[in-house]
Short mmCIF file of all heavy atoms in Angstrom, two decimals:
data_model
loop_
_atom_site.label_atom_id
_atom_site.label_comp_id
_atom_site.label_asym_id
_atom_site.label_seq_id
_atom_site.Cartn_x
_atom_site.Cartn_y
_atom_site.Cartn_z
N ASP D 267 -58.33 43.65 -84.22
CA ASP D 267 -58.72 44.15 -82.96
C ASP D 267 -60.05 43.69 -82.54
O ASP D 267 -60.42 43.48 -81.33
CB ASP D 267 -58.69 45.72 -83.06
CG ASP D 267 -57.27 46.32 -83.10
OD1 ASP D 267 -56.34 45.48 -82.74
OD2 ASP D 267 -57.10 47.41 -83.47
N ASP D 268 -60.98 43.50 -83.64
CA ASP D 268 -62.25 42.88 -83.25
C ASP D 268 -62.14 41.61 -82.69
O ASP D 268 -62.84 41.16 -81.71
CB ASP D 268 -63.14 42.82 -84.49
CG ASP D 268 -63.24 44.25 -85.17
OD1 ASP D 268 -63.34 45.25 -84.41
OD2 ASP D 268 -63.37 44.29 -86.32
N LEU D 269 -61.27 40.66 -83.28
CA LEU D 269 -61.19 39.42 -82.84
C LEU D 269 -60.50 39.14 -81.49
O LEU D 269 -61.23 38.45 -80.64
CB LEU D 269 -60.35 38.58 -83.91
CG LEU D 269 -60.20 37.02 -83.72
CD1 LEU D 269 -61.54 36.33 -83.89
CD2 LEU D 269 -59.19 36.52 -84.60
N ILE D 270 -59.45 39.97 -81.12
CA ILE D 270 -58.96 39.69 -79.83
C ILE D 270 -59.71 40.35 -78.73
O ILE D 270 -59.41 40.03 -77.54
CB ILE D 270 -57.50 40.34 -79.78
CG1 ILE D 270 -57.44 41.78 -80.07
CG2 ILE D 270 -56.65 39.59 -80.75
CD1 ILE D 270 -56.14 42.37 -79.87
N ALA D 271 -60.73 41.19 -79.23
CA ALA D 271 -61.57 41.67 -78.12
C ALA D 271 -62.70 40.87 -77.57
O ALA D 271 -63.21 41.09 -76.62
CB ALA D 271 -62.34 43.12 -78.71
N LEU D 272 -62.90 39.76 -78.35
CA LEU D 272 -63.86 38.79 -78.14
C LEU D 272 -63.53 37.82 -77.03
O LEU D 272 -62.21 37.64 -76.84
CB LEU D 272 -64.31 38.00 -79.26
CG LEU D 272 -64.98 38.85 -80.47
CD1 LEU D 272 -65.19 37.94 -81.66
CD2 LEU D 272 -66.30 39.36 -79.85
N PRO D 273 -64.32 37.23 -76.21
CA PRO D 273 -63.85 36.15 -75.18
C PRO D 273 -63.17 34.97 -75.82
O PRO D 273 -63.50 34.49 -76.73
CB PRO D 273 -65.17 35.73 -74.46
CG PRO D 273 -66.11 36.77 -74.78
CD PRO D 273 -65.80 37.48 -76.12
N GLN D 274 -61.91 34.69 -75.37
CA GLN D 274 -60.97 33.86 -75.81
C GLN D 274 -61.16 32.50 -75.09
O GLN D 274 -61.35 32.45 -73.92
CB GLN D 274 -59.57 34.27 -75.79
CG GLN D 274 -59.25 35.61 -76.51
CD GLN D 274 -59.47 35.47 -77.92
OE1 GLN D 274 -58.91 34.54 -78.59
NE2 GLN D 274 -60.11 36.56 -78.67
N LYS D 275 -61.16 31.34 -75.92
CA LYS D 275 -61.10 30.02 -75.14
C LYS D 275 -59.73 29.33 -75.41
O LYS D 275 -59.35 29.28 -76.67
CB LYS D 275 -62.34 29.17 -75.75
CG LYS D 275 -62.41 27.90 -75.12
CD LYS D 275 -63.73 27.21 -75.36
CE LYS D 275 -63.99 26.00 -74.47
NZ LYS D 275 -65.39 25.43 -74.75
N GLU D 276 -59.21 28.83 -74.49
CA GLU D 276 -57.96 27.89 -74.60
C GLU D 276 -58.46 26.41 -74.48
O GLU D 276 -59.13 26.00 -73.52
CB GLU D 276 -57.02 28.23 -73.64
CG GLU D 276 -55.77 27.56 -73.77
CD GLU D 276 -54.56 27.84 -72.82
OE1 GLU D 276 -54.87 27.65 -71.58
OE2 GLU D 276 -53.73 28.62 -73.16
N THR D 277 -58.12 25.62 -75.55
CA THR D 277 -58.49 24.23 -75.51
C THR D 277 -57.28 23.44 -75.96
O THR D 277 -56.43 24.00 -76.63
CB THR D 277 -59.79 23.98 -76.33
OG1 THR D 277 -60.19 22.72 -76.21
CG2 THR D 277 -59.42 24.27 -77.81
N VAL D 278 -57.33 22.09 -75.71
CA VAL D 278 -56.34 21.29 -76.21
C VAL D 278 -56.97 20.25 -77.14
O VAL D 278 -57.96 19.73 -76.96
CB VAL D 278 -55.76 20.34 -74.99
CG1 VAL D 278 -54.60 19.45 -75.63
CG2 VAL D 278 -55.13 21.23 -73.97
N ALA D 279 -56.41 20.25 -78.40
CA ALA D 279 -57.02 19.50 -79.47
C ALA D 279 -55.87 18.84 -80.34
O ALA D 279 -54.79 19.31 -80.42
CB ALA D 279 -57.89 20.28 -80.41
N THR D 280 -56.23 17.57 -80.82
CA THR D 280 -55.28 16.85 -81.72
C THR D 280 -55.79 17.06 -83.12
O THR D 280 -56.93 17.01 -83.45
CB THR D 280 -55.36 15.37 -81.41
OG1 THR D 280 -55.01 15.12 -80.05
CG2 THR D 280 -54.44 14.50 -82.30
N LEU D 281 -54.79 17.40 -83.99
CA LEU D 281 -54.99 17.55 -85.31
C LEU D 281 -54.26 16.49 -86.09
O LEU D 281 -53.15 16.02 -85.70
CB LEU D 281 -54.53 18.86 -85.94
CG LEU D 281 -55.05 20.16 -85.14
CD1 LEU D 281 -54.61 21.38 -86.03
CD2 LEU D 281 -56.64 20.04 -85.29
N VAL D 282 -54.88 15.89 -87.19
CA VAL D 282 -54.26 14.75 -87.92
C VAL D 282 -54.49 15.10 -89.46
O VAL D 282 -55.60 15.57 -89.79
CB VAL D 282 -54.80 13.45 -87.48
CG1 VAL D 282 -56.32 13.36 -87.64
CG2 VAL D 282 -54.17 12.35 -88.30
N CYS D 283 -53.46 14.77 -90.19
CA CYS D 283 -53.53 14.93 -91.65
C CYS D 283 -54.20 13.60 -92.30
O CYS D 283 -53.84 12.54 -91.81
CB CYS D 283 -52.16 15.15 -92.31
SG CYS D 283 -52.06 15.29 -93.91
N VAL D 284 -54.98 13.75 -93.23
CA VAL D 284 -55.63 12.71 -93.93
C VAL D 284 -54.56 11.82 -94.63
O VAL D 284 -54.85 10.59 -94.77
CB VAL D 284 -56.68 13.10 -95.06
CG1 VAL D 284 -56.07 13.82 -96.21
CG2 VAL D 284 -57.53 12.06 -95.45
N SER D 285 -53.43 12.34 -94.86
CA SER D 285 -52.24 11.53 -95.48
C SER D 285 -51.63 10.79 -94.60
O SER D 285 -50.66 10.02 -94.81
CB SER D 285 -51.37 12.44 -96.26
OG SER D 285 -51.95 13.14 -97.42
N ASN D 286 -51.94 10.79 -93.33
CA ASN D 286 -51.16 10.03 -92.26
C ASN D 286 -51.41 8.54 -92.48
O ASN D 286 -52.51 7.98 -92.36
CB ASN D 286 -51.68 10.43 -90.83
CG ASN D 286 -50.80 10.01 -89.69
OD1 ASN D 286 -49.55 10.11 -89.94
ND2 ASN D 286 -51.32 9.50 -88.61
N GLU D 287 -50.33 7.80 -92.79
CA GLU D 287 -50.38 6.28 -92.86
C GLU D 287 -50.61 5.73 -91.53
O GLU D 287 -50.31 6.36 -90.39
CB GLU D 287 -49.11 5.81 -93.56
CG GLU D 287 -48.81 6.37 -94.96
CD GLU D 287 -49.62 5.61 -95.89
OE1 GLU D 287 -50.33 4.61 -95.65
OE2 GLU D 287 -49.35 5.88 -97.16
N VAL D 288 -50.96 4.47 -91.55
CA VAL D 288 -51.14 3.70 -90.24
C VAL D 288 -49.87 3.74 -89.61
O VAL D 288 -48.80 3.43 -90.10
CB VAL D 288 -51.78 2.35 -90.48
CG1 VAL D 288 -51.63 1.43 -89.22
CG2 VAL D 288 -53.10 2.23 -91.09
N GLY D 289 -49.92 4.21 -88.37
CA GLY D 289 -48.54 4.30 -87.57
C GLY D 289 -47.83 5.63 -87.88
O GLY D 289 -46.64 5.64 -87.41
N GLY D 290 -48.24 6.45 -88.68
CA GLY D 290 -47.57 7.61 -89.13
C GLY D 290 -47.49 8.80 -88.05
O GLY D 290 -48.06 8.72 -87.04
N SER D 291 -46.62 9.71 -88.44
CA SER D 291 -46.37 10.93 -87.51
C SER D 291 -47.14 12.17 -87.86
O SER D 291 -46.81 13.16 -87.38
CB SER D 291 -44.82 11.08 -87.49
OG SER D 291 -44.35 11.35 -88.81
N LEU D 292 -47.92 12.07 -88.88
CA LEU D 292 -48.61 13.51 -89.30
C LEU D 292 -49.73 13.68 -88.41
O LEU D 292 -50.93 13.82 -88.81
CB LEU D 292 -49.04 13.46 -90.84
CG LEU D 292 -47.89 13.14 -91.81
CD1 LEU D 292 -48.41 13.13 -93.26
CD2 LEU D 292 -46.74 14.18 -91.58
N ILE D 293 -49.46 13.85 -87.18
CA ILE D 293 -50.51 14.08 -86.14
C ILE D 293 -49.80 14.75 -84.95
O ILE D 293 -48.70 14.56 -84.72
CB ILE D 293 -51.21 12.66 -85.65
CG1 ILE D 293 -52.18 12.96 -84.57
CG2 ILE D 293 -50.12 11.83 -85.19
CD1 ILE D 293 -53.01 11.73 -84.18
N GLY D 294 -50.51 15.61 -84.35
CA GLY D 294 -49.94 16.30 -83.12
C GLY D 294 -51.05 16.96 -82.31
O GLY D 294 -52.16 17.09 -82.80
N THR D 295 -50.74 17.23 -81.05
CA THR D 295 -51.69 17.76 -80.13
C THR D 295 -51.12 19.03 -79.65
O THR D 295 -49.98 19.09 -79.17
CB THR D 295 -51.87 16.78 -78.92
OG1 THR D 295 -52.53 15.63 -79.57
CG2 THR D 295 -52.93 17.43 -77.90
N ALA D 296 -51.84 20.06 -79.61
CA ALA D 296 -51.47 21.47 -79.06
C ALA D 296 -52.42 22.12 -78.14
O ALA D 296 -53.61 21.72 -78.15
CB ALA D 296 -51.03 22.29 -80.16
N ARG D 297 -51.98 23.12 -77.29
CA ARG D 297 -52.95 23.91 -76.63
C ARG D 297 -53.26 25.17 -77.55
O ARG D 297 -52.28 25.86 -77.85
CB ARG D 297 -52.31 24.40 -75.28
CG ARG D 297 -53.14 25.18 -74.50
CD ARG D 297 -52.39 25.60 -73.28
NE ARG D 297 -51.99 24.54 -72.30
CZ ARG D 297 -52.84 23.99 -71.38
NH1 ARG D 297 -54.04 24.53 -71.15
NH2 ARG D 297 -52.29 23.04 -70.64
N TRP D 298 -54.44 25.28 -77.96
CA TRP D 298 -54.93 26.38 -78.88
C TRP D 298 -55.63 27.37 -78.05
O TRP D 298 -56.53 27.09 -77.19
CB TRP D 298 -55.75 25.66 -80.02
CG TRP D 298 -55.19 24.55 -80.66
CD1 TRP D 298 -55.42 23.23 -80.49
CD2 TRP D 298 -54.18 24.70 -81.84
NE1 TRP D 298 -54.66 22.46 -81.25
CE2 TRP D 298 -53.85 23.29 -82.11
CE3 TRP D 298 -53.62 25.62 -82.45
CZ2 TRP D 298 -52.92 22.90 -83.14
CZ3 TRP D 298 -52.74 25.37 -83.40
CH2 TRP D 298 -52.50 23.98 -83.68
N LEU D 299 -55.47 28.65 -78.60
CA LEU D 299 -56.28 29.77 -78.05
C LEU D 299 -56.98 30.48 -79.19
O LEU D 299 -56.29 30.67 -80.23
CB LEU D 299 -55.25 30.81 -77.39
CG LEU D 299 -55.87 32.09 -76.91
CD1 LEU D 299 -56.78 31.86 -75.65
CD2 LEU D 299 -54.91 33.14 -76.63
N GLY D 300 -58.30 30.84 -78.91
CA GLY D 300 -59.01 31.40 -79.97
C GLY D 300 -60.40 31.68 -79.54
O GLY D 300 -60.94 31.39 -78.52
N VAL D 301 -61.19 32.00 -80.66
CA VAL D 301 -62.74 32.29 -80.49
C VAL D 301 -63.46 31.21 -81.17
O VAL D 301 -63.21 30.84 -82.31
CB VAL D 301 -63.03 33.81 -81.21
CG1 VAL D 301 -64.58 33.91 -81.13
CG2 VAL D 301 -62.24 34.83 -80.43
N PRO D 302 -64.42 30.64 -80.58
CA PRO D 302 -65.19 29.63 -81.12
C PRO D 302 -65.89 30.08 -82.48
O PRO D 302 -66.51 31.24 -82.49
CB PRO D 302 -66.34 29.30 -80.04
CG PRO D 302 -65.75 29.79 -78.74
CD PRO D 302 -64.87 30.90 -79.11
N ILE D 303 -65.62 29.29 -83.41
CA ILE D 303 -66.23 29.67 -84.78
C ILE D 303 -67.78 29.75 -84.81
O ILE D 303 -68.28 30.66 -85.42
CB ILE D 303 -65.74 28.68 -85.82
CG1 ILE D 303 -64.39 28.54 -85.79
CG2 ILE D 303 -66.36 28.97 -87.23
CD1 ILE D 303 -63.83 27.47 -86.72
N ARG D 304 -68.41 29.06 -83.91
CA ARG D 304 -69.77 29.10 -83.89
C ARG D 304 -70.41 30.48 -83.44
O ARG D 304 -71.47 30.86 -83.90
CB ARG D 304 -70.49 28.01 -82.79
CG ARG D 304 -70.02 28.08 -81.49
CD ARG D 304 -70.60 27.07 -80.69
NE ARG D 304 -70.03 26.93 -79.24
CZ ARG D 304 -69.07 26.13 -79.08
NH1 ARG D 304 -68.55 25.31 -79.84
NH2 ARG D 304 -68.54 26.15 -77.79
N ASP D 305 -69.50 31.11 -82.57
CA ASP D 305 -69.94 32.56 -82.13
C ASP D 305 -69.99 33.55 -83.30
O ASP D 305 -70.72 34.43 -83.48
CB ASP D 305 -68.95 32.97 -81.05
CG ASP D 305 -69.21 32.09 -79.68
OD1 ASP D 305 -70.16 31.41 -79.65
OD2 ASP D 305 -68.31 32.34 -78.83
N ILE D 306 -68.85 33.30 -84.18
CA ILE D 306 -68.76 34.13 -85.38
C ILE D 306 -69.89 33.87 -86.35
O ILE D 306 -70.56 34.75 -86.91
CB ILE D 306 -67.41 34.07 -85.97
CG1 ILE D 306 -66.25 34.23 -85.17
CG2 ILE D 306 -67.34 35.01 -87.16
CD1 ILE D 306 -66.22 35.64 -84.28
N LEU D 307 -70.14 32.54 -86.59
CA LEU D 307 -71.15 32.29 -87.52
C LEU D 307 -72.48 32.68 -87.06
O LEU D 307 -73.52 33.06 -87.71
CB LEU D 307 -71.18 30.77 -87.76
CG LEU D 307 -69.85 30.24 -88.67
CD1 LEU D 307 -70.00 28.62 -88.70
CD2 LEU D 307 -69.99 30.78 -89.93
N ALA D 308 -72.73 32.59 -85.72
CA ALA D 308 -74.07 33.14 -85.12
C ALA D 308 -74.24 34.51 -85.46
O ALA D 308 -75.47 34.86 -85.74
CB ALA D 308 -73.97 32.84 -83.59
N ARG D 309 -73.21 35.35 -85.50
CA ARG D 309 -73.37 36.74 -85.93
C ARG D 309 -74.02 36.79 -87.34
O ARG D 309 -74.77 37.72 -87.62
CB ARG D 309 -72.18 37.47 -85.83
CG ARG D 309 -71.55 37.71 -84.37
CD ARG D 309 -70.30 38.55 -84.43
NE ARG D 309 -69.87 39.06 -83.17
CZ ARG D 309 -68.97 39.87 -82.92
NH1 ARG D 309 -68.62 40.76 -83.90
NH2 ARG D 309 -68.37 40.19 -81.80
N ALA D 310 -73.42 35.98 -88.27
CA ALA D 310 -73.87 36.04 -89.66
C ALA D 310 -75.23 35.45 -89.82
O ALA D 310 -75.85 35.78 -90.84
CB ALA D 310 -72.76 35.37 -90.50
N LYS D 311 -75.63 34.49 -88.91
CA LYS D 311 -76.88 33.83 -89.10
C LYS D 311 -77.06 33.16 -90.44
O LYS D 311 -77.74 33.56 -91.44
CB LYS D 311 -78.09 34.90 -89.04
CG LYS D 311 -78.07 35.56 -87.60
CD LYS D 311 -79.18 36.56 -87.51
CE LYS D 311 -79.13 37.26 -86.22
NZ LYS D 311 -80.17 38.51 -86.16
N PRO D 312 -76.47 31.97 -90.61
CA PRO D 312 -76.54 31.09 -91.77
C PRO D 312 -78.03 30.76 -92.03
O PRO D 312 -78.80 30.57 -91.05
CB PRO D 312 -75.71 29.88 -91.44
CG PRO D 312 -74.82 30.28 -90.44
CD PRO D 312 -75.44 31.30 -89.56
N THR D 313 -78.48 30.68 -93.35
CA THR D 313 -79.79 30.44 -93.64
C THR D 313 -79.99 28.86 -93.54
O THR D 313 -79.01 28.13 -93.45
CB THR D 313 -80.07 30.84 -95.16
OG1 THR D 313 -79.16 30.15 -96.00
CG2 THR D 313 -79.96 32.39 -95.23
N ALA D 314 -81.29 28.51 -93.58
CA ALA D 314 -81.56 27.13 -93.46
C ALA D 314 -81.06 26.13 -94.52
O ALA D 314 -80.79 24.95 -94.21
CB ALA D 314 -83.09 26.95 -93.30
N GLU D 315 -80.84 26.74 -95.67
CA GLU D 315 -80.42 25.79 -96.76
C GLU D 315 -78.93 25.49 -96.71
O GLU D 315 -78.33 24.55 -97.35
CB GLU D 315 -80.73 26.41 -98.13
CG GLU D 315 -80.08 27.84 -98.39
CD GLU D 315 -80.38 28.41 -99.70
OE1 GLU D 315 -80.38 27.59 -100.67
OE2 GLU D 315 -80.48 29.61 -99.82
N ALA D 316 -78.07 26.19 -95.89
CA ALA D 316 -76.70 26.13 -95.86
C ALA D 316 -76.32 24.75 -95.14
O ALA D 316 -76.94 24.42 -94.13
CB ALA D 316 -75.95 27.26 -95.02
N ASP D 317 -75.21 24.09 -95.63
CA ASP D 317 -74.78 22.90 -94.91
C ASP D 317 -73.18 22.81 -94.93
O ASP D 317 -72.63 21.79 -94.41
CB ASP D 317 -75.33 21.68 -95.54
CG ASP D 317 -74.95 21.36 -96.96
OD1 ASP D 317 -74.17 22.16 -97.50
OD2 ASP D 317 -75.43 20.53 -97.56
N MET D 318 -72.57 23.83 -95.46
CA MET D 318 -71.13 23.72 -95.48
C MET D 318 -70.48 25.22 -95.51
O MET D 318 -71.14 26.12 -95.78
CB MET D 318 -70.71 23.13 -96.87
CG MET D 318 -69.25 22.89 -97.12
SD MET D 318 -68.42 24.09 -98.02
CE MET D 318 -68.68 23.58 -99.68
N VAL D 319 -69.27 25.33 -94.92
CA VAL D 319 -68.50 26.47 -94.94
C VAL D 319 -67.22 26.29 -95.71
O VAL D 319 -66.45 25.41 -95.30
CB VAL D 319 -68.22 26.90 -93.38
CG1 VAL D 319 -67.25 28.15 -93.38
CG2 VAL D 319 -69.44 27.23 -92.59
N LEU D 320 -66.99 27.06 -96.71
CA LEU D 320 -65.74 27.04 -97.33
C LEU D 320 -64.82 28.05 -96.84
O LEU D 320 -65.09 29.29 -96.97
CB LEU D 320 -65.99 27.33 -98.92
CG LEU D 320 -64.89 27.06 -99.89
CD1 LEU D 320 -64.72 25.60 -100.03
CD2 LEU D 320 -65.18 27.68 -101.22
N SER D 321 -63.89 27.78 -96.16
CA SER D 321 -62.75 28.54 -95.59
C SER D 321 -61.62 28.80 -96.58
O SER D 321 -61.43 27.84 -97.28
CB SER D 321 -62.23 28.00 -94.29
OG SER D 321 -61.75 26.71 -94.56
N ARG D 322 -61.39 30.02 -96.66
CA ARG D 322 -60.18 30.39 -97.68
C ARG D 322 -59.12 31.04 -97.01
O ARG D 322 -59.18 31.90 -96.24
CB ARG D 322 -60.88 31.21 -98.74
CG ARG D 322 -60.00 31.71 -99.85
CD ARG D 322 -60.66 32.29 -101.00
NE ARG D 322 -61.46 31.50 -101.86
CZ ARG D 322 -62.80 31.24 -101.77
NH1 ARG D 322 -63.51 32.02 -100.99
NH2 ARG D 322 -63.36 30.41 -102.59
N SER D 323 -57.84 30.58 -97.47
CA SER D 323 -56.57 31.19 -97.00
C SER D 323 -56.30 32.41 -98.01
O SER D 323 -56.71 32.55 -98.96
CB SER D 323 -55.61 30.11 -97.07
OG SER D 323 -54.22 30.70 -96.92
N VAL D 324 -55.27 33.30 -97.34
CA VAL D 324 -54.89 34.33 -98.22
C VAL D 324 -54.14 33.84 -99.48
O VAL D 324 -54.12 34.65 -100.49
CB VAL D 324 -53.88 35.26 -97.40
CG1 VAL D 324 -54.71 35.83 -96.24
CG2 VAL D 324 -52.64 34.51 -96.86
N ASP D 325 -53.72 32.69 -99.52
CA ASP D 325 -52.96 32.29 -100.70
C ASP D 325 -53.84 31.51 -101.64
O ASP D 325 -53.42 30.76 -102.54
CB ASP D 325 -51.71 31.28 -100.28
CG ASP D 325 -52.12 30.04 -99.64
OD1 ASP D 325 -53.23 29.82 -99.31
OD2 ASP D 325 -51.21 29.11 -99.49
N GLY D 326 -55.10 31.40 -101.23
CA GLY D 326 -56.05 30.73 -102.24
C GLY D 326 -56.57 29.26 -101.81
O GLY D 326 -57.55 28.85 -102.39
N PHE D 327 -55.88 28.68 -100.92
CA PHE D 327 -56.28 27.28 -100.50
C PHE D 327 -57.68 27.41 -99.84
O PHE D 327 -58.11 28.37 -99.27
CB PHE D 327 -55.27 26.78 -99.41
CG PHE D 327 -55.84 25.47 -98.84
CD1 PHE D 327 -55.49 24.26 -99.50
CD2 PHE D 327 -56.38 25.36 -97.69
CE1 PHE D 327 -55.88 23.02 -98.92
CE2 PHE D 327 -56.81 24.18 -97.06
CZ PHE D 327 -56.56 23.08 -97.78
N THR D 328 -58.46 26.46 -100.16
CA THR D 328 -59.90 26.32 -99.62
C THR D 328 -60.15 24.95 -98.95
O THR D 328 -59.49 23.94 -99.31
CB THR D 328 -60.90 26.65 -100.65
OG1 THR D 328 -60.77 25.53 -101.78
CG2 THR D 328 -60.94 28.04 -101.24
#
Side-chain angles (χ1 to χ4, degrees):
D267 288 344
D268 302 323
L269 185 64
I270 63 173
L272 297 173
Q274 305 289 317
K275 183 167 190 175
E276 188 179 63
T277 188
V278 182
T280 297
L281 302 186
V282 57
C283 179
V284 70
S285 295
N286 198 41
E287 297 279 0
V288 172
S291 59
L292 301 180
I293 180 172
T295 300
R297 185 185 292 274
W298 307 97
L299 176 71
V301 175
I303 300 172
R304 60 176 171 269
D305 293 350
I306 306 303
L307 291 175
R309 292 186 175 195
K311 299 178 182 178
T313 62
E315 61 179 320
D317 65 4
M318 187 260 274
V319 174
L320 191 72
S321 54
R322 182 171 282 105
S323 168
V324 296
D325 68 348
F327 174 84
T328 54

